[in-house]
Amino acid sequence: MANQEFLRQLPGGDYHLKNRTSLLFRLHIDPILMVLILILSIVGLFVLYSGSGESAVHVQKQAMRFMLAFVVMIVFAQLDPSVYRRWAPWLFAMGLIALAAVLVMGTGAKGAQRWLQLPGLPRFQPSEFMKLAVPMMVAWYLSERYLPPRFKHVLGSLVLIFMPVVLVIKQPDLGTSLLIAASGIFVLLLAGISGKLVGGFIASIAALVPVMWMFVMRDYQKQRVLTLIDPEKDPLGSGWNIIQSKTAIGSGGMTGKGWLEGTQSQLDFLPESHTDFIIAVLAEEFGFVGVVLLISLYVLIVARGLYIAIKAQDSFGRMLAGSLTLTFFVYVFVNIGMVSGILPVVGVPLPLVSYGGTSIVTLMAAFGVLMSIHTHKKMLDK
């Protein structure tokens, strides 16, 4: 607001302000969302430098990924929402084919088979792509029907959601499968399904928990749940990660020990300090104040995404924008919850802060879709 007043006070200020605003919308960039993402990305690089043991190589690679991801975001923002609506079934079908290919010819590590290596292309993780394709597909399916959806359409949506979820669970990747399921279920909730259906769905999930424990979850996944309940039972084994992360968080106090001064991360007590447990590094070095500021950034991004969803021009845009925003919130909540010991460890990175490739590109593509929904709507309104 201060910048706008300054521009207005200049000779021809109103003209310059309108010209700047129209330029942003011609580029289909939402300035508020863009600034928040840029700040978060810069913060992520600083924390990554410390969490990776002051590795300039990791920071350089992450910076290159951010550059690619920002290009992807801008490209996705240029496409009209009608393009996403028209291509949703095809993108969903290609994603299912890629997930099936992972089970047949995928590559992996540590007992998981999650990546696909095609000739001439870098290795990528198709399950990350489905975090975008699933809500797009469910939003397309429901937007073609009367809302709130009838029971048979709810069932149809659940089939669309759980087809990729089952394929991802078989990789196995429980964390990503939960995020994919959440992205589709959020679309259903935003479509206005009745409270009775929501209650029945929750009851069904609760009834399936014992079945999943007995027949779906693997031994290491069960161990993570047991470790959540009592990490001290195996302090040098399965409980090591969560004990060290809680120690790092607690030792940071109110203002932290200072950048690059965290003992848990710098002395390699904290495992996966540059990926899943990176917020423990931030908590140790910047304390409670640093964590609150980081969470505030996430809250502002979520608030902006929900605002875009509310202002969307049609039901497809509203459901898709809302789902992408709420899924981003789940990303943050699950990561912080597992690092602080209130949720089991499921391997979900901290968005735009943890070291990674495919997840960053997918997140930025989602932000590009949000900008597309918002800026194209504005242009149509004009």
Side-chain angles (χ1 to χ4, degrees), residues 195-210:
K196 291 182 179 179
L197 285 177
V198 173
F201 180 74
I202 294 174
S204 300
I205 293 295
L208 285 174
V209 168

Side-chain angles (χ1 to χ4, degrees), residues 47 49-54 244 247-249 251-252 255-270 273 280-287:
V47 180
Y49 182 71
S50 178
S52 62
E54 303 180 33
Q244 296 303 319
T247 301
I249 293 171
S251 65
T255 57
K257 300 175 180 177
W259 189 46
L260 305 178
E261 298 297 328
T263 55
Q264 296 300 113
S265 57
Q266 298 300 322
L267 298 178
D268 290 333
F269 286 104
L270 184 65
S273 59
V281 177
L282 181 139
E284 185 180 19
E285 296 184 354
F286 297 97

Side-chain angles (χ1 to χ4, degrees), residues 52-72:
S52 62
E54 303 180 33
S55 171
V57 174
H58 280 79
V59 174
Q60 289 171 1
K61 287 183 177 180
Q62 188 82 334
M64 293 297 293
R65 289 165 177 167
F66 272 128
M67 292 175 62
L68 171 62
F70 272 103
V71 171
V72 170

Side-chain angles (χ1 to χ4, degrees), residues 128-348:
E128 290 289 336
F129 169 76
M130 296 306 287
K131 295 175 187 174
L132 188 57
V134 168
M136 200 177 292
M137 178 63 185
V138 179
W140 169 83
Y141 175 76
L142 292 176
S143 65
E144 298 291 319
R145 290 154 179 82
Y146 289 109
L147 297 179
R150 299 177 181 177
F151 180 70
K152 63 180 181 180
H153 298 144
V154 172
L155 288 180
S157 300
L158 291 175
V159 170
L160 293 173
I161 294 168
F162 285 102
M163 280 195 295
V165 167
V166 170
L167 291 174
V168 175
I169 288 176
K170 292 179 71 67
Q171 291 181 359
D173 190 350
L174 183 60
T176 302
S177 66
L178 290 175
L179 289 172
I180 293 172
S183 69
I185 291 170
F186 282 138
V187 176
L188 269 176
L189 294 176
L190 293 168
I193 61 175
S194 67
K196 291 182 179 179
L197 285 177
V198 173
F201 180 74
I202 294 174
S204 300
I205 293 295
L208 285 174
V209 168
V211 177
M212 291 185 64
W213 181 269
M214 295 295 296
F215 302 106
V216 177
M217 294 179 67
R218 303 199 177 192
D219 290 339
Y220 76 92
Q221 293 168 338
K222 295 178 182 179
Q223 185 59 52
R224 288 176 177 177
V225 177
L226 297 175
T227 300
L228 171 69
I229 299 171
D230 185 13
E232 301 293 340
K233 187 176 181 179
D234 187 12
L236 298 179
S238 60
W240 175 265
N241 291 12
I242 189 62
I243 291 172
Q244 296 303 319
S245 69
K246 290 166 71 174
T247 301
I249 293 171
S251 65
M254 182 59 68
T255 57
K257 300 175 180 177
W259 189 46
L260 305 178
E261 298 297 328
T263 55
Q264 296 300 113
S265 57
Q266 298 300 322
L267 298 178
D268 290 333
F269 286 104
L270 184 65
E272 307 294 338
S273 59
H274 65 298
T275 53
D276 294 349
F277 286 84
I278 197 167
I279 195 171
V281 177
L282 181 139
E284 185 180 19
E285 296 184 354
F286 297 97
F288 178 76
V289 174
V291 173
V292 169
L293 290 175
L294 179 68
I295 292 176
S296 298
L297 271 176
Y298 283 126
V299 169
L300 290 172
I301 291 173
V302 170
R304 186 61 181 174
L306 292 178
Y307 173 82
I308 291 172
I310 292 170
K311 295 294 184 179
Q313 201 161 27
D314 56 22
S315 59
F316 174 80
R318 184 181 69 252
M319 290 186 290
L320 179 56
S323 173
L324 294 177
T325 303
L326 292 173
T327 304
F328 178 79
F329 166 77
V330 171
Y331 249 106
V332 178
F333 178 79
V334 170
N335 179 271
I336 296 177
M338 74 180 192
V339 173
S340 57
I342 63 173
L343 292 175
V345 177
V346 291
V348 174

